[in-house]
Amino acid sequence: MSTTYRALGWDRRLAPGPRVVSFLERYWEAFQEGRECERLRAALSDLSDRELMDIGTSRGEIDYVASNRGSDPRGVR
């Protein structure tokens, strides 16, 4: 591996380490999770009060439901 770096003129210390890659992966996952949360919030906000009642939530619970998709605000699983 050092031969490749030497042949290309790269310094080994400049190559991104696993910590940098791991940080970027976590950042990207958090970014995508935030976008998914916003899409869900927008979709729920577009529903009528009757439609929200049909799925067992209210307009006041939209932020909670969008932020905590893995949990049920009614406590039912």
Side-chain angles (χ1 to χ4, degrees), residues 15-56:
R19 290 176 54 197
V20 173
V21 172
S22 175
F23 169 76
L24 292 174
E25 287 173 346
R26 287 192 319 264
Y27 177 80
W28 183 251
E29 289 170 5
F31 176 75
Q32 293 292 56
E33 179 73 23
R35 290 189 57 166
E36 180 65 28
C37 183
E38 287 301 316
R39 281 193 292 267
L40 179 58
R41 186 176 286 119
L44 289 173
S45 295
D46 287 342
L47 296 176
S48 69
D49 289 337
R50 177 66 186 165
E51 291 168 325
L52 287 170
M53 194 167 51
D54 285 346
I55 63 172

Side-chain angles (χ1 to χ4, degrees), residues 1-12 14-15:
M1 190 159 143
S2 62
T3 305
T4 305
Y5 282 103
R6 233 179 279 132
L8 296 175
W10 292 350
D11 188 3
R12 239 182 146 161
L14 296 178

